Amino acid sequence: MIQIVASWIPQRTLRVLGDSEYSGQSISRHLPANVKLISRMNMKAALYEPAQKIVTRGRRRKKGNRLGSPLQTAQDKQANWIKTTVTLYGKQVKLWYQTIDALWYPSAGQRLLRIVVVRDPSGRRRDDCFFSTDLTLAPTQILEIFARRWPLEVCFRDVKQFLGFEDPQNRVAKATTRTAPLIFFIYDLVLLWHAQCGHRQAAHSALDRPWYSQKASVSFEDILRTLRYATWQERIFDDPALDAHTRKLLQPFVEWAKAVT
C-alpha cells in the first residue's frame, strides 16, 4: 500500500506513521525513495554504529560497533536527559529524552535512524523509544508528529463501536474485500455531511452532560446523534402529509429517542 500511494505522488514526500507492528524489516527495508517512516522501537532493540568506510581485505562491514539498547540507555544513571515540553494529543506535556543516530540493523538494515528515548518525569508512563528515517527532524518533532496518528486509532474504535465493523462474519474473499471499504465509506460520508451542513443542527441534538465540563469538540457519537435527529426531522416533521396534531404527538418520542442514543 505504501509503495502504491508513493507512486501516485513521486514529487512529494510521504510521511508514514506506524506503531511497533509496522517497524519491521518488511516495511523499513523496502521504503520508496520519497517515503519517510516514524514508528515506535523495541526497548531491547540491537543498535549499531554506522560502518566505517575503511578499505580492508575481504567484504566491507555492514554495521559498526554494537551500542547499548534503548533500555540500557534509559537505565544508565549517568545519562544526560534533555528536559523539554512538547505538544502531544493537544496538550502540553513535560518529558525527558535522549537521542542518537544509529543503525537498527535487524530491522532497517544499513539505513541510519534518528532514535529518541523518552521518559515521563512524573513516572506515570514507562520509558519508550521512537525512531525516524528522516534525519532532518528534531527529536521533539519526531514525538509530536508520531502523536498525530491518534485520530486513526479513534477512527478504528468508532467504526467498531458505532458502525458494526466487528460484527460481519465473512467467509469468502469477496465479502472481506467489500465489507471494510463500505463501512469506512459510510464513516467518511457521515463526517463529510457533518462538515458541510450537519454542524448547523448540532445544537438541537446536543445532550446535557454536566460531567463533561471541559469537552470542547464533538465526537463521532455526537455526529451520529445529529444525523439521526436530522433524519427524523426530515422524515417526520417535514412530511407535508402530517398535520400539526400528529407532529405534536410524535415530539415526546423524538426527545426520548435522542436522550437514549
Side-chain angles (χ1 to χ4, degrees), residues 84-95 97 118 139-141 143-144:
T84 187
T85 301
V86 296
T87 303
L88 302 178
Y89 312 113
K91 297 181 179 180
Q92 293 292 311
V93 179
K94 295 182 179 180
L95 55 81
Y97 75 87
V118 183
T140 53
Q141 289 179 303
L143 299 177
E144 291 179 341

Side-chain angles (χ1 to χ4, degrees), residues 174-235:
K174 285 187 177 180
T176 303
T177 57
R178 291 171 179 172
T179 301
L182 178 61
I183 292 178
F184 280 107
F185 181 68
I186 295 173
Y187 180 85
D188 292 340
L189 286 179
V190 173
L191 293 183
L192 289 173
W193 171 84
H194 185 267
Q196 291 180 354
C197 60
H199 63 277
R200 301 189 186 96
Q201 305 184 43
H204 301 288
S205 61
L207 297 180
D208 184 17
R209 298 289 194 239
W211 50 88
Y212 288 149
S213 57
Q214 298 181 349
K215 182 176 179 180
S217 60
V218 296
S219 64
F220 187 69
E221 183 180 7
D222 297 329
I223 295 174
L224 279 181
R225 185 183 305 108
T226 304
L227 179 58
R228 294 190 188 102
Y229 181 88
T231 303
W232 297 334
Q233 185 71 30
E234 180 178 344
R235 294 187 176 182

Side-chain angles (χ1 to χ4, degrees), residues 15-202:
R15 187 170 286 150
V16 177
L17 312 178
D19 212 340
S20 56
E21 296 295 330
Y22 303 95
S23 61
Q25 59 179 327
S26 60
I27 293 181
S28 57
R29 290 198 182 192
H30 301 89
L31 293 173
N34 62 327
V35 174
K36 306 298 182 182
L37 174 65
I38 298 179
S39 184
R40 179 179 270 113
M41 178 178 287
N42 191 319
M43 289 294 289
K44 296 182 180 180
L47 304 181
Y48 297 86
E49 294 179 344
Q52 297 182 1
K53 297 181 180 180
I54 301 178
V55 179
T56 58
R57 298 180 62 181
R59 187 179 67 176
R60 188 174 68 88
R61 294 185 63 181
K62 295 184 178 180
K63 57 182 184 292
N65 298 328
R66 179 74 179 266
L67 299 172
S69 67
L71 180 61
Q72 292 172 328
T73 300
Q75 292 177 343
D76 186 359
K77 295 183 179 180
Q78 297 181 349
N80 294 321
W81 292 91
I82 301 175
K83 302 178 182 181
T84 187
T85 301
V86 296
T87 303
L88 302 178
Y89 312 113
K91 297 181 179 180
Q92 293 292 311
V93 179
K94 295 182 179 180
L95 55 81
W96 300 351
Y97 75 87
Q98 300 182 57
T99 183
I100 185 176
D101 292 350
L103 304 180
W104 186 14
Y105 187 80
S107 177
Q110 294 180 277
R111 183 188 293 268
L112 190 62
L113 307 176
R114 177 147 296 170
I115 301 165
V116 186
V117 182
V118 183
R119 169 166 292 177
D120 179 4
S122 67
R124 290 193 295 265
R125 296 184 178 181
R126 62 183 182 181
D127 296 340
D128 211 341
C129 185
F130 305 88
F131 74 89
S132 170
T133 61
D134 187 355
L135 301 182
T136 65
L137 295 177
T140 53
Q141 289 179 303
I142 294 174
L143 299 177
E144 291 179 341
I145 293 173
F146 182 82
R148 296 176 188 174
R149 58 180 291 276
W150 179 248
L152 183 61
E153 299 292 343
V154 176
C155 170
F156 290 152
R157 180 258 186 189
D158 288 340
V159 296
K160 290 178 180 179
Q161 184 162 344
F162 300 113
L163 297 182
F165 188 71
E166 290 183 325
D167 297 340
Q169 299 181 6
N170 299 326
R171 299 181 182 275
V172 295
K174 285 187 177 180
T176 303
T177 57
R178 291 171 179 172
T179 301
L182 178 61
I183 292 178
F184 280 107
F185 181 68
I186 295 173
Y187 180 85
D188 292 340
L189 286 179
V190 173
L191 293 183
L192 289 173
W193 171 84
H194 185 267
Q196 291 180 354
C197 60
H199 63 277
R200 301 189 186 96
Q201 305 184 43

